[in-house]
Amino acid sequence: MNAEIISVGTELLLGAVVNTDAALVARALSGLGINLLHTCVVGDNPKRLKEAIETGLSRSGLLVMTGGLGPTTDDLTKETAAAAAGKKLCLHQPSLERIQSYFNEKQVSINQEKQAWLPEGCHVLQNDNGTAPGCAFQAENGSTILMLPGPPSELEPMLLHYAVPYLKQRQEFTIVSHNVRIYGRGEAPVAQMMDDLMNGENPTLAPYANEGECYLRVTAKAHSQQEADALCQPLIQEIKNRLGGFVYGVDVDSLEALVVQLLAGQGKTLATAESCTGGLLSKRLTDVAGSSQVFHMGVVTYANQAKEQLLGVPRQVLEAHGAVSPETARAMAQGIVRASGSHLGIGITGIAGPQGGTAEKPVGLIYIALSDGKDTWVVKRSPIGRTKSRDWHRHCAASQALDMVRRYLTGLPVVAE
């Protein structure tokens, strides 16, 4: 089955609201093995909405519409879709009673009651988090129209608990995807290494770039999730064989989530001493639920005086080598281990830009050190030949630090070759 999404709302066209609904629906359709071929956004205009619906019905077996089911006069999705599909609207008494219960009133306004008028013969999708029910029904040409409310807090649970089961009963195939996360190798070299694997039809393999890293998506289609997953596994293993330690996980959320998990599993703790990253590494770690078990402390020592006083970086090191140097990064990592009593310490110092660089120490030069109190490793990040933003340098430095910790905890060389 081929599908398309029509997102309704002038606020989406104006950029006042981000269209997260389309992404939520797209992921759900992919998981069901439904091919999504088109998406569009239409304002609250009945003529243009009617045109979009008629176009969608002419080329797709499933039309998923989000938004425009509410009580206001510009909520026109239901009326317009029903008319385009040749359906009348009828009062759905159970939905009206749910709306009345929601407002704790025996009688509700005509506008509120409007939400309980649904296309005749439709399959009603209950709204557990709002007032407007969703529904699914067949158009005269046999295509299915699925209507969902616009607010993500209402759409997502309705999609998960009611729409997906409804669609699943009508699907012969399912699609399973796995993301193989990679750090330390860019999208282009990874794609070159996997070139002979990218012509497969089932499973398929596709590379994607992310901020400072990349991932490979392995996708298979089968009659069941178990069968599709079994098709994926040999290809995933081949990717791991080729990339080795550059693969940091499959279907993991992020480097920081993995590092927190590894630290917790081994009963180890971590502390950070940051200069140019300004606390970004600490933020990324503490964004992960459960990080309080493994993250002891983080300090931002921008000034040399702070590096001396808080971390014990020797003044002679700063004077002889400068704040941006492998020696200072090493001393920062060692100093935060002493100050925190943690098993591991990270030190980051560099020039994030856009100003501050010199011929000897250009923007983008960053040193990251990892210490376990006994041994210390230092990685140098050099400019890559083209201008990058301050945020990019900081993000990649934090990612590099996380990958060093990941490598240490999994027994890989801390400094990748």
Side-chain angles (χ1 to χ4, degrees):
M1 181 187 296
N2 294 331
E4 65 183 273
I5 301 169
I6 299 178
S7 302
V8 183
T10 301
E11 68 278 7
L12 300 174
L13 287 175
L14 296 176
V17 174
V18 177
N19 187 10
T20 57
D21 288 352
L24 292 169
V25 173
R27 285 195 290 268
L29 295 177
S30 175
L32 291 167
I34 298 173
N35 300 315
L36 178 62
L37 301 186
H38 304 279
T39 66
C40 75
V41 178
V42 184
D44 300 305
N45 179 284
K47 181 176 182 295
R48 289 191 287 272
L49 181 56
K50 180 175 181 289
E51 292 172 354
I53 293 171
E54 290 175 345
T55 299
L57 291 175
S58 71
R59 63 189 181 188
S60 300
L62 174 64
L63 191 61
V64 182
M65 306 187 67
T66 68
L69 302 183
T72 61
T73 55
D74 62 349
D75 287 315
L76 302 169
T77 297
K78 187 169 44 186
E79 294 83 350
T80 308
K87 298 285 186 179
K88 296 179 181 179
L89 293 180
C90 303
L91 180 63
H92 185 249
Q93 190 63 32
S95 292
L96 177 60
E97 291 172 1
R98 288 187 63 83
I99 294 170
Q100 291 170 339
S101 175
Y102 184 91
F103 289 105
N104 196 26
E105 295 180 6
K106 291 185 178 180
Q107 297 293 328
V108 294
S109 68
I110 294 176
N111 279 356
Q112 295 295 349
E113 181 183 306
K114 167 179 176 282
Q115 298 170 100
W117 286 77
L118 302 173
E120 57 182 342
C122 70
H123 177 84
V124 180
L125 305 174
Q126 184 171 299
N127 190 336
D128 296 326
N129 299 273
T131 55
C135 64
F137 59 97
Q138 269 61 57
E140 291 178 327
N141 70 346
S143 295
T144 297
I145 298 177
L146 178 66
M147 295 194 293
L148 301 170
S153 61
E154 298 178 29
L155 176 142
E156 188 168 15
M158 183 185 292
L159 179 67
L160 176 64
H161 297 133
Y162 300 110
V164 166
Y166 170 81
L167 292 172
K168 190 176 289 185
Q169 294 175 355
R170 305 165 65 85
Q171 280 303 109
E172 182 181 358
F173 293 97
T174 187
I175 291 177
V176 169
S177 292
H178 293 288
N179 293 325
V180 182
R181 301 284 181 177
I182 300 155
Y183 185 85
R185 286 290 182 269
E187 181 189 14
V190 166
Q192 186 174 356
M193 293 175 68
M194 303 296 152
D195 186 61
D196 61 310
L197 303 177
M198 291 188 186
N199 296 321
E201 295 184 359
N202 195 24
T204 60
L205 180 64
Y208 296 90
N210 211 338
E211 190 75 18
E213 57 182 85
C214 68
Y215 63 96
L216 292 166
R217 177 168 292 165
V218 178
T219 303
K221 184 176 184 178
H223 288 284
S224 71
Q225 183 172 342
Q226 292 76 13
E227 292 176 31
D229 186 69
L231 289 171
C232 291
Q233 294 309 314
L235 182 53
I236 291 173
Q237 188 57 52
E238 179 60 23
I239 294 169
K240 290 180 176 179
N241 292 341
R242 296 189 185 191
L243 288 171
F246 294 107
V247 173
Y248 71 79
V250 178
D251 298 329
V252 299
D253 291 336
S254 61
L255 268 170
E256 51 265 36
L258 177 62
V259 165
V260 168
Q261 178 186 339
L262 291 171
L263 287 166
Q266 298 181 26
K268 287 185 167 59
T269 54
L270 174 68
T272 60
E274 302 180 64
S275 184
C276 65
T277 46
L280 178 60
L281 175 57
S282 297
K283 179 194 179 300
R284 287 177 61 177
L285 286 164
T286 54
D287 280 345
V288 180
S291 57
S292 58
Q293 300 177 41
V294 300
F295 183 67
H296 267 184
M297 62 182 288
V299 299
V300 178
T301 53
Y302 233 56
N304 284 356
Q305 183 181 8
K307 293 179 176 67
E308 289 183 56
Q309 293 179 350
L310 298 179
L311 302 173
V313 177
R315 180 174 299 180
Q316 55 268 34
V317 168
L318 292 166
E319 291 176 348
H321 303 285
V324 180
S325 65
E327 292 82 5
T328 295
R330 180 185 300 272
M332 289 172 67
Q334 294 168 345
I336 196 63
V337 169
R338 290 192 303 270
S340 66
S342 296
H343 294 97
L344 300 173
I346 287 285
I348 304 177
T349 181
I351 305 170
Q355 290 85 33
T358 66
E360 294 77 21
K361 295 183 178 181
V363 170
L365 176 64
I366 301 175
Y367 293 98
I368 304 113
L370 169 66
S371 178
D372 63 3
K374 179 182 177 182
D375 297 311
T376 304
W377 300 264
V378 181
V379 167
K380 175 184 179 181
R381 289 188 60 86
S382 299
I384 58 176
R386 63 182 186 275
T387 302
K388 286 289 186 178
S389 70
R390 180 179 180 82
D391 287 344
W392 189 89
H393 289 303
R394 286 154 59 101
H395 180 87
C396 291
S399 295
Q400 183 86 62
L402 290 165
D403 190 61
M404 291 170 72
V405 177
R406 188 267 305 187
R407 285 178 163 273
Y408 176 92
L409 294 172
T410 56
L412 294 168
V414 174
V415 179
E417 298 178 359

